Amino acid sequence: MLRQYFSALLWGLAALTFALAISTPNGYGIPTGLLFLASASLFYLRPKWCDLSLEDRRLFYAFLAFGLSMFVFVYLDGWYTRELDRPSRFILVLPVLLMLLQSSNHKEWLWYGAIVGAIGAFALACYEKFVLGIDRAHGSEYPIMFGNTGMLLGLLSLAGASYFLAMKRYFWLSLALIAAIAGIGSSFLSGSRGGWIALPIIGCFMLWQSRELFSKKSLVGVLVAAFILLGVAVAVPQTGVMKKVDQTLVSLSQYYSGENKATSLGMRFDMWVTAYHLFQESPILGVGEYGEKAEKKRMVEQGVIPPAMLHFNHAHNEFINALSQRGLVGLAFLLLVYLVPMRLFIKKMEANANNWRIKSYAMAGALIPMCYMDFGLSQVMFAHNIGVMMYAFPIVYFWAATRWAEREELGESKSN
């Protein structure tokens, strides 16, 4: 009985990670910190390494390899130990993975957490935008991080909607759909354009994977509703979407004509060019985060890059930033921590194509690296605490949920 209550507590904390993520200051940090402290229970649970599947180990080793590789790069960059904090989360989450694989109750609470988190994010964004008059909703984070996390919560809620639809639980289906719109809406209100690219791409992926749940008429209805909602988001001036689109087009024109390169988009292009020059200096292991500062000063003195580039600590692109600071080796480890989890989840989706008790959790897990690869095109997500935490921990949550869903289905089939 005590173990059942403890399992419920663990999954409750996992759900709170989503529920509090951006609607409260450091909302993601408290539940994840408590989960890590609770992982001391492994001494009591005594998980056996041989009980882990090959897939469990692949995820475990992918996170471990990325975390340790970042430690090595910090050492090569001068051993500034404060830079160990964020990559250490990929290692500290591993005992949580082992613990959740031993704790089977209440995985469904992840959906409830995502729903509450997405609706809470939208409520906060509306308050900041329409009551306080803030130009870009941001909560206690940077607008880009707020918007990208809101988009992630919205898409997780959409994955939850597929689960509730398959289970014919229409009340929670309605709430999940509202939460999906809310999470996406919070991204729009933040003005974070980079996250918007994820919506049509990942939305189409999820719709294609869920096509068997819809009749032809309902599928057409879903598409029409999606286009109407998108049109409303673009057309209503208060959302700021059309303003951002116009700014993007103007910035592109001004940058390439040479009229004005100091726009937000223009500065990004200059950051990417700067990162390319840094990559050429050390293509294998990169110049390092701190080594980059000295290299930038030298390039400014030589007139290679504009002086404004000295004010930025990263390239606002996860992939290009990895190349410049950690070289081809660093990029390889970054791709490892994206592609290994994504492939593991997609394999689970393929193996359980018609079983939504399992597939929905696997689909939610797969869309996390998908979203992050999109977000990484315009932001270095892993340079922020929330970016690291809302990647590593949710992947562990949904992997453990997928594995438990498999075990439960296997148990039911044996009993039948």
Side-chain angles (χ1 to χ4, degrees):
M1 182 65 71
L2 180 61
R3 185 161 180 167
Q4 290 179 350
Y5 286 132
F6 184 65
S7 294
L9 173 64
L10 298 181
W11 287 103
L13 289 172
L16 280 175
T17 306
F18 298 126
L20 303 178
I22 51 176
S23 57
T24 59
N26 196 33
Y28 58 88
I30 297 172
T32 52
L34 291 174
L35 275 171
F36 174 71
L37 292 176
S39 66
S41 65
L42 288 172
F43 291 106
Y44 168 73
L45 296 173
R46 294 190 298 274
K48 296 179 181 178
W49 187 248
C50 59
D51 290 340
L52 297 180
S53 70
L54 179 60
E55 293 166 318
D56 296 333
R57 297 183 192 189
R58 284 175 179 167
L59 179 61
F60 186 98
Y61 285 132
F63 274 31
L64 180 64
F66 180 75
L68 292 178
S69 74
M70 294 297 290
F71 281 25
V72 172
F73 284 115
V74 170
Y75 172 76
L76 295 175
D77 195 29
W79 196 241
Y80 295 91
T81 53
R82 62 185 176 185
E83 303 304 330
L84 299 175
D85 180 45
R86 289 185 295 274
S88 70
R89 312 302 171 85
F90 284 92
I91 298 175
L92 297 179
V93 76
L94 296 178
V96 176
L97 170 63
L98 298 178
M99 180 175 62
L100 288 178
L101 287 172
Q102 303 287 317
S103 310
S104 61
N105 288 336
H106 305 298
K107 63 186 179 302
E108 194 176 273
W109 288 4
L110 295 177
W111 302 129
Y112 307 145
I115 290 170
V116 171
I119 293 174
F122 184 65
L124 177 58
C126 287
Y127 174 73
E128 291 187 336
K129 184 83 174 178
F130 304 124
V131 178
L132 300 182
I134 297 174
D135 184 50
R136 299 180 64 183
H138 58 79
S140 59
E141 304 290 339
Y142 290 106
I144 296 176
M145 302 306 297
F146 180 90
N148 287 347
T149 305
M151 178 66 73
L152 177 63
L153 291 170
L155 292 174
L156 288 176
S157 298
L158 199 56
S162 69
Y163 172 82
F164 292 121
L165 177 60
M167 299 301 108
K168 295 182 169 51
R169 296 172 58 180
Y170 298 114
F171 173 76
W172 282 105
L173 169 63
S174 301
L175 284 182
L177 291 174
I178 292 171
I181 296 170
I184 294 166
S186 68
S187 176
F188 286 153
L189 294 178
S190 75
S192 304
R193 293 166 292 191
W196 301 350
I197 301 171
L199 183 57
I201 298 173
I202 297 177
C204 288
F205 166 79
M206 296 175 71
L207 189 60
W208 175 256
Q209 292 294 331
S210 309
R211 64 192 183 280
E212 68 201 44
L213 297 175
F214 303 97
S215 64
K216 288 185 178 180
K217 285 186 178 180
S218 59
L219 183 61
V220 171
V222 169
L223 290 172
V224 170
F227 280 115
I228 290 174
L229 289 171
L230 184 61
V232 169
V234 173
V236 175
Q238 286 79 3
T239 65
V241 174
M242 199 62 212
K243 179 182 176 182
K244 278 291 182 180
V245 172
D246 290 338
Q247 286 178 349
T248 300
L249 296 175
V250 171
S251 296
L252 283 170
S253 174
Q254 291 177 337
Y255 183 84
Y256 285 109
S257 67
E259 179 183 347
N260 181 14
K261 292 191 174 186
T263 63
S264 173
L265 195 61
M267 298 290 274
R268 270 188 172 81
F269 289 158
D270 283 341
M271 289 181 221
W272 298 347
V273 171
T274 300
Y276 173 71
H277 287 302
L278 292 169
F279 167 67
Q280 288 182 311
E281 294 294 322
S282 181
I284 305 301
L285 294 175
V287 298
E289 182 177 350
Y290 287 84
E292 176 182 291
K293 297 175 182 178
E295 289 296 323
K296 281 183 177 179
K297 288 181 181 179
R298 180 182 61 80
M299 287 193 288
V300 167
E301 291 170 357
Q302 294 176 350
V304 177
I305 61 173
M309 293 299 100
L310 294 175
H311 301 296
F312 299 100
N313 295 323
H314 57 69
H316 272 269
N317 180 296
E318 195 83 61
F319 306 95
I320 297 174
N321 192 69
L323 278 173
S324 65
Q325 294 186 358
R326 303 186 295 279
L328 291 169
V329 174
L331 178 63
F333 278 105
L334 176 66
L335 294 176
L336 177 80
V337 86
Y338 283 150
L339 298 180
V340 169
M342 186 173 73
R343 180 56 184 154
L344 289 173
F345 281 117
I346 289 177
K347 284 179 65 178
K348 293 298 184 186
M349 292 176 63
E350 293 171 347
N352 301 279
N354 300 312
N355 188 340
W356 283 94
R357 292 179 185 273
I358 302 172
K359 185 178 180 180
S360 57
Y361 292 105
M363 184 163 69
L367 67 83
I368 297 169
M370 289 180 184
C371 283
Y372 265 70
M373 284 190 282
D374 166 70
F375 299 158
L377 296 176
S378 57
Q379 174 67 308
V380 181
M381 296 292 290
F382 290 167
H384 301 266
N385 285 333
I386 188 173
V388 173
M389 301 291 275
M390 290 303 292
Y391 183 82
F393 279 84
I395 282 181
V396 161
Y397 299 162
F398 280 107
W399 180 254
T402 302
R403 295 285 286 117
W404 273 113
E406 284 184 322
R407 294 173 188 174
E408 290 167 2
E409 287 295 299
L410 183 60
E412 287 184 11
S413 64
K414 284 183 177 179
S415 62
N416 293 332

